[in-house]
Amino acid sequence: MQCQSHPTQLSHVLPGEPFVKKLDMEEESARKFPESAFKVLFYSFSWTCCSYLIVIKYKFFFHPADVWLDWKHGMAVPGDVYAFYILEFGFYIHSLYATCFMDDVRRDFWMMIVHHLLTLALIGFSLAVRYHNIGLMVVFLHDLNDVLLDGSKCLLYMKQRGGKEYPIWDHAATAGFSTFVISWFTMRLYWYLYKVLYVAGYLSLQQVDCKEGNFYIFFNSMLWMLFFINCYWFFFILKTSYRILSGRDLKDVRETEKEEGQKETTKED
């Protein structure tokens, strides 16, 4: 697969480009800001919709065992849940394309590809076999982290503008990243074990017959793969946290030496 790094095209769709020009950001930040801003908008909308579904309407977030209430093979999928699934599926098709042809190639490039393919498989499979409530829980536990991550990136991109440095944006980005670290551990690791893996792997056998046709093993294997990918990324998060605690600037440690070299060349020019 031939993958390249191109400037994002989303700045021509969203009002990102005029905003970036008005703030007079550095070239590198101006190139990355629209994509991160788009992700903040999408994940905020997605997480808000998902929160409404699992906390307010169907009310199984605080009682995860209720995921399996009235579950049966071939049951009807509520219209709002189906629409939400289509939205998520479309977004991750875009994310897969963007990772290959638009985003900068980073050290976790292939893991990102695996993640997007796995996510698409989970979305499609969970809808097909009516494990959609588990799917909603997975989305809820993941999307808020992305809001905080890309929000922190946007704040960091505001640091250098018009040839001047504004430390307040750096401090804001660090605070946002700190919140992101806590939310990642709480939601993608701790809560994920209890509210997803335990519910899908153990409670499903106690409350309903989900083992039919080996779907149980296949589905839970994908859920565990997602958990291990999150553990892998948490390693990079801890490396970045160590940089901050060591008094160094907030930086994406996934950047390759080639990308770092491009940044240095830009600064020298």
Side-chain angles (χ1 to χ4, degrees), residues 231-242:
C231 290
Y232 169 80
W233 274 326
F234 194 59
F235 167 73
F236 287 104
I237 293 171
L238 291 178
K239 286 185 67 174
T240 303
S241 300
Y242 177 75

Side-chain angles (χ1 to χ4, degrees), residues 61-199:
F61 175 74
F62 296 106
H63 304 283
D66 291 350
V67 161
W68 301 113
L69 282 179
D70 302 321
W71 184 91
K72 61 188 177 199
H73 291 286
M75 64 184 290
V77 179
D80 48 8
V81 174
Y82 183 83
F84 182 75
Y85 257 71
I86 296 302
L87 175 69
E88 289 289 313
F89 193 82
F91 175 75
Y92 277 99
I93 288 178
H94 157 75
S95 297
L96 182 61
Y97 174 84
T99 300
C100 290
F101 303 109
M102 296 169 66
D103 295 346
D104 294 310
V105 178
R106 297 187 172 92
R107 291 187 174 96
D108 65 342
F109 170 79
W110 289 110
M111 186 62 73
M112 186 70 76
I113 294 294
V114 171
H115 171 269
H116 291 339
L117 292 173
L118 178 63
T119 300
L120 288 169
L122 276 169
I123 292 173
F125 181 81
S126 62
L127 184 64
V129 298
R130 305 306 190 253
Y131 296 164
H132 47 273
N133 285 345
I134 290 291
L136 290 176
M137 189 72 79
V138 172
V139 172
F140 178 84
L141 295 179
H142 282 70
D143 280 9
L144 180 61
N145 306 138
D146 292 304
V147 173
L148 295 171
L149 174 61
D150 284 290
S152 298
K153 289 181 179 181
C154 287
L155 294 173
L156 189 62
Y157 298 150
M158 301 276 285
K159 178 182 176 181
Q160 297 279 353
R161 291 183 286 116
K164 297 181 180 179
E165 183 172 316
Y166 298 86
I168 187 172
W169 294 108
D170 189 31
H171 298 324
T174 301
F177 180 78
S178 300
T179 306
F180 162 74
V181 174
I182 296 172
S183 72
W184 186 287
F185 177 80
T186 302
M187 303 182 80
R188 292 201 183 195
L189 300 182
Y190 176 67
W191 275 354
Y192 187 86
L193 280 171
Y194 168 61
K195 294 180 180 291
V196 175
L197 296 178
Y198 174 72
V199 172

